[in-house]
Amino acid sequence: MRLIFGILFLIVSNALYALSYLVLEEEYQFKENSIYARDLFPDLQSNFLLFSIPKNSNSYQIKSSQMTEKFANEGISVGAKSPIITFKRAIRGEIEGIRKYILAEFLREYQPYKIQVNAMHLEQITPVDFKEDAILSIDFHSKLLKKREGSFDVVVQEKNGEQLRNRKVYFKYAIDATLQVVQTSETISGRQSIGYNNARLIRIPFERVSSILMKENEMGKVAVRSYTPKDVIVTQDRLILKRVVKKGDKIAVSVSEEGVLLEFVLEAQKDGAVGDTIKARALQGKKTYEVEIIEEGRGRLL
């Protein structure tokens, strides 16, 4: 008998102990405007009204002291994690397709930089319930691809009685990702080629891209415009085409006349990169020609 009483005492004590440690969270979601005790603590035996949220409110805040007082009046001891508790209206929009669309846009944009996405966060702001097949358009501007976080809107078709109407639904996004970029490993003089001998590949957190970044496949094909210090992340505005011909170099030049391809050698009169037009002089005599550089040591007569 004493053993049974002891077990019952432990059960009752544990139940009271558990109740004495009920804690209110900082934030809750709501569907109905009247908030009851079991909406916050489903295991409570009694269910009583705590307060009501105005019908047109999608977000509502209340002091935790007001909440704990309501519970205390019912003999229930409750604590709180924060002095203010926020209630946000629950939204049931099907947003997984939108998330995948935004993710695909970032993967496409930063594929040359071997982007690695750790997480794509999406938050629906406008409280509208919708199915995925109700989405008409996603207005995600290309400018947003340069920022780690931002906002955009989606147009969905909403049924109001027998009428269909288009409605904008606003979203916030945040992407957690890294990019592969080129960073100088030593100081580089102006017009000097940049490659694996004086630069390295590193990964950086994606924050905000204000200038177009140098790509790995440009290593050895471009040069820096001017003096560039060590440990600088290289952007396109720092680059020029690599000079493949220097003044005094011999250039093999080709020209087509009446279906016959002729080749001869000229001497470059200035430095040139692929696509540049320079003057080149005949090895015998002083006659000069306009030549377009097509690759290292080769040109095309204009």
Side-chain angles (χ1 to χ4, degrees), residues 230-258:
K230 181 182 177 182
D231 297 332
V232 169
I233 293 174
V234 185
T235 52
Q236 289 291 336
D237 54 1
R238 289 182 174 270
L239 301 175
I240 57 174
L241 289 174
K242 175 184 175 182
R243 297 304 190 243
V244 296
V245 171
K246 294 181 180 179
K247 183 179 180 180
D249 283 354
K250 302 298 185 291
I251 311 171
V253 178
S254 60
V255 62
S256 180
E257 290 187 2
E258 297 179 356

Side-chain angles (χ1 to χ4, degrees), residues 111-114 180 182 194 196 201 213-222 236:
Q111 184 273 333
Y113 307 102
K114 299 181 180 177
Q180 176 184 276
V182 178
I194 180 169
Y196 293 102
L201 299 173
L213 298 162
M214 179 181 174
K215 304 178 183 69
E216 181 184 6
N217 63 8
E218 294 176 299
M219 295 281 261
K221 300 177 183 178
V222 293
Q236 289 291 336

Side-chain angles (χ1 to χ4, degrees), residues 22-26 64-65 67-68 78-85:
L22 290 177
V23 177
L24 292 164
E25 299 292 335
E26 295 180 17
S64 57
S65 57
M67 298 281 284
T68 55
V78 173
K81 291 184 178 180
S82 171
I84 298 294
I85 302 173

Side-chain angles (χ1 to χ4, degrees), residues 12-217:
V12 173
S13 297
N14 286 340
L16 292 173
Y17 182 84
L19 285 176
S20 66
Y21 280 87
L22 290 177
V23 177
L24 292 164
E25 299 292 335
E26 295 180 17
E27 184 176 304
Y28 291 94
Q29 288 193 333
F30 70 93
K31 295 179 182 178
E32 303 299 331
N33 291 76
S34 295
I35 306 301
Y36 287 83
R38 284 185 190 166
D39 293 332
L40 310 186
F41 303 113
D43 294 333
L44 286 178
Q45 290 185 352
S46 57
N47 193 25
F48 47 91
L49 179 67
L50 294 172
F51 63 93
S52 294
I53 298 174
K55 288 186 178 180
N56 295 328
S57 295
N58 296 318
S59 180
Y60 186 81
Q61 290 186 320
I62 187 170
K63 291 181 179 179
S64 57
S65 57
Q66 292 178 255
M67 298 281 284
T68 55
E69 184 179 353
K70 289 276 188 179
F71 283 97
N73 291 339
E74 300 292 328
I76 302 171
S77 180
V78 173
K81 291 184 178 180
S82 171
I84 298 294
I85 302 173
T86 302
F87 287 79
K88 292 184 177 180
R89 189 176 297 277
I91 301 170
R92 296 187 296 274
E94 293 184 0
I95 65 173
E96 190 56 32
I98 300 171
R99 189 195 314 277
K100 289 179 179 178
Y101 174 85
I102 305 302
L103 178 60
E105 289 292 290
F106 275 97
L107 293 174
R108 176 188 55 78
E109 180 75 9
Y110 294 101
Q111 184 273 333
Y113 307 102
K114 299 181 180 177
I115 186 172
Q116 292 180 359
V117 178
N118 300 316
M120 169 62 74
H121 304 287
L122 203 59
E123 180 184 358
Q124 184 178 333
I125 305 302
T126 311
V128 176
D129 297 338
F130 63 89
K131 299 291 185 181
E132 192 167 294
D133 58 8
I135 298 172
L136 299 179
S137 64
I138 301 173
D139 186 16
F140 195 83
H141 196 277
S142 58
K143 290 181 180 179
L144 296 174
L145 294 172
K146 298 184 182 298
K147 301 191 295 183
R148 179 184 178 274
E149 56 187 18
S151 59
F152 64 98
D153 60 73
V154 172
V155 178
V156 301
Q157 194 170 68
E158 187 179 52
K159 191 169 184 179
N160 185 12
E162 297 299 319
Q163 300 294 319
L164 292 176
R165 65 170 183 173
N166 295 347
R167 183 169 180 182
K168 281 188 176 181
V169 181
Y170 289 91
F171 286 84
K172 287 183 179 179
Y173 77 91
I175 184 170
D176 175 11
T178 60
L179 301 177
Q180 176 184 276
V181 298
V182 178
Q183 182 187 59
T184 57
S185 56
E186 58 183 61
T187 58
I188 306 176
S189 302
R191 297 186 176 277
Q192 183 181 347
S193 176
I194 180 169
Y196 293 102
N197 61 317
N198 53 19
R200 56 179 169 246
L201 299 173
I202 65 168
R203 297 202 72 84
I204 62 171
F206 176 75
E207 294 292 342
R208 183 183 180 93
V209 178
S210 55
S211 299
I212 301 174
L213 298 162
M214 179 181 174
K215 304 178 183 69
E216 181 184 6
N217 63 8

